[in-house]
Amino acid sequence: MESTFYLNPALFTDRETLLLENGSMKAYAFQYSTGVKAIRVENEKGYFIILPYQGQQVWRAEFLGQPLVMRTAFEEPVPTLDYLSTYGGFLLHCGVKSMGNPEPGYPHHGELPNAPYQTAFIVSGEDEKGAYIAVSGHRQCNIGFTLNYRFTPECRLYADGTVLHVKVTLENLRGYEMPYMYLCHINFRPIDGGELIYSTKYDKEHITVCKPPYAENPTAEQKAWYDYMDAVQENPSLHHKVGEPGQCYDPEICFIVRYLADENGMAHTLQKLPDGKAFYVSHPTEALPVGVRWISRTKDEESMGMALPATAEHHGRSHAEATGQMKYVAPRSSISFSLVAGILEADCAKKVEEKIQEIVK
């Protein structure tokens, strides 16, 4: 049985308001000092905070006493459409018209990350996994003679859960085929002493470092960055132990990971923490065939984007068109896919690690 509670912007004030309960779970509405509206969904193991009217992005998440989100200069979300002017969230939807590098007419990671939503709602219910609370909404984009789509994400937390179940539905409302791109930008925190473990072979055929054009007269810092990228391309395992001497992620390094899937078509990625718990992403390789890895460790930001599941590489729309990586939704039709992101307790992390070992045999 499931019930839906439609949100009204008037519900959001500087004081938290309890909107609903489902067993031990609760959902609260509040507003940041910047004016951005937010929902906090909590269970006995932690919580996530989502911005229902601004991109439906997950701004914060913490479970088992462990903050998941990247270290960032943004304490609160900012009401803006510009990607980098409020870049501090844990999970952001990127697309639909473009994704990745900006180019004329197509902003950085597309129109979705901070897009306004016309409708937002909370769903409460119970299924075979137990009681849950989910936050969802509709964002419709209608441009005459061009495109008309409805994008509907859902972020669901179960009563005993420490991971977020994220579902995406994209509807093409026009009578013409619609090209699209999508990337789920999941920004974990790098934990020194952790280890990256994931379902592919650790070789140059399955892992590619995306190297920028090298400067003609590089500084010492740039040369160290270039040298590290060259070394990792030759031996990808060099970046698996988080925080090892010689690693260089300032300003960033991007990888393309060609994942192997399990019997259900799902790929798996862990950042195994020193205490045995693990940050975790699982995604469908048919709907999201490209795994982008983005690691950044500067003096002001630190992010372990260990798995950004995507429809294409992150080089922008023109590159996707030129390389045949665009995907399409049939006229007056829709596509849906689901992924998981969060943290696993040590015993669950060990089981996933064993599953990964089976996949890559």
Side-chain angles (χ1 to χ4, degrees):
M1 188 173 179
E2 191 173 84
S3 61
T4 301
F5 179 85
Y6 283 88
L7 299 172
N8 185 315
L11 293 169
F12 297 81
T13 67
D14 294 342
R15 298 181 62 184
E16 284 192 347
T17 300
L18 177 62
L19 297 179
L20 61 84
E21 297 180 75
N22 187 2
S24 62
M25 304 187 72
K26 296 180 175 66
Y28 298 87
F30 69 97
Q31 182 171 277
Y32 283 99
S33 66
T34 57
V36 176
K37 295 167 175 53
I39 297 286
R40 189 176 85 252
V41 177
E42 63 180 37
N43 63 13
E44 293 181 350
K45 294 187 176 181
Y47 68 88
F48 73 91
I49 296 174
I50 191 168
L51 313 182
Y53 294 107
Q54 185 167 323
Q56 288 257 326
Q57 62 176 267
V58 179
W59 180 252
R60 292 288 182 266
E62 180 174 324
F63 293 98
L64 306 176
Q66 174 66 58
L68 307 189
V69 71
M70 65 182 285
R71 186 171 66 86
T72 171
F74 292 93
E75 292 300 320
E76 296 187 340
V78 178
T80 179
L81 296 177
D82 183 67
Y83 185 76
L84 292 179
S85 294
T86 183
Y87 189 54
F90 172 62
L91 188 151
L92 297 85
H93 302 285
C94 301
V96 165
K97 290 182 283 184
S98 66
M99 174 274 289
N101 294 346
E103 52 191 287
Y106 299 109
H108 194 177
H109 279 310
E111 71 275 18
L112 285 182
N114 292 289
Y117 276 65
Q118 294 92 351
T119 306
F121 50 93
I122 300 177
V123 179
S124 175
E126 187 170 349
D127 61 19
E128 68 280 359
K129 295 186 181 73
Y132 63 82
I133 293 177
V135 180
S136 185
H138 302 305
R139 179 276 195 299
Q140 186 168 351
C141 177
N142 189 0
I143 302 174
F145 300 96
T146 306
L147 83 165
N148 186 7
Y149 72 77
R150 181 164 48 235
F151 184 80
T152 304
E154 181 191 89
C155 185
R156 179 178 296 196
L157 176 65
Y158 285 92
D160 195 41
T162 59
V163 298
L164 306 179
H165 295 259
V166 178
K167 181 179 180 180
V168 167
T169 301
L170 176 62
E171 300 172 79
N172 178 11
L173 304 177
R174 278 178 62 82
Y176 302 87
E177 185 178 64
M178 183 183 77
Y180 75 94
M181 302 180 73
Y182 177 81
L183 176 143
C184 193
H185 214 301
I186 310 167
N187 300 319
F188 285 97
R189 182 169 301 192
I191 304 296
D192 287 343
E195 181 181 4
L196 295 176
I197 303 168
Y198 48 106
S199 60
T200 196
K201 297 184 183 298
Y202 302 154
D203 57 34
K204 292 187 287 184
E205 286 68 39
H206 293 82
I207 303 166
T208 301
V209 179
C210 301
K211 302 177 188 177
Y214 287 180
E216 197 168 311
N217 296 298
T219 64
E221 291 80 7
Q222 286 175 319
K223 188 175 187 310
W225 184 47
Y226 298 150
D227 289 347
Y228 180 61
M229 281 189 279
D230 290 340
V232 173
Q233 182 60 81
E234 288 301 313
N235 180 10
S237 64
L238 290 176
H239 82 288
H240 291 168
K241 295 286 188 179
V242 182
E244 285 288 286
Q247 293 180 350
C248 186
Y249 301 115
D250 188 351
E252 63 182 6
I253 292 183
C254 290
F255 305 76
I256 300 298
V257 180
R258 298 164 183 84
Y259 277 92
L260 304 176
D262 65 17
E263 67 279 6
N264 297 313
M266 301 297 289
H268 303 273
T269 305
L270 298 170
Q271 182 188 175
K272 187 176 179 181
L273 308 185
D275 63 3
K277 296 194 291 289
F279 295 154
Y280 178 55
V281 174
S282 179
H283 73 273
T285 57
E286 183 174 355
L288 302 170
V290 177
V292 178
R293 176 166 296 165
W294 173 69
I295 306 175
S296 177
R297 304 194 76 171
T298 75
K299 295 176 181 178
D300 299 297
E301 301 91 11
E302 286 192 298
S303 182
M304 174 60 72
M306 59 187 191
L308 314 183
T311 58
E313 296 172 9
H314 61 288
H315 304 304
R317 177 162 177 146
S318 295
H319 181 270
E321 289 175 332
T323 55
Q325 295 186 63
M326 293 296 293
K327 284 190 170 285
Y328 297 86
V329 186
R332 307 197 195 284
S333 184
S334 67
I335 57 98
S336 293
F337 50 83
S338 299
L339 57 91
V340 173
I343 186 171
L344 302 178
E345 298 187 72
D347 56 341
C348 292
K350 184 177 181 181
K351 291 177 183 177
V352 172
E353 185 175 355
E354 291 170 353
K355 176 186 279 287
I356 290 171
Q357 291 169 353
E358 286 297 315
I359 293 170
V360 299
K361 271 186 179 179

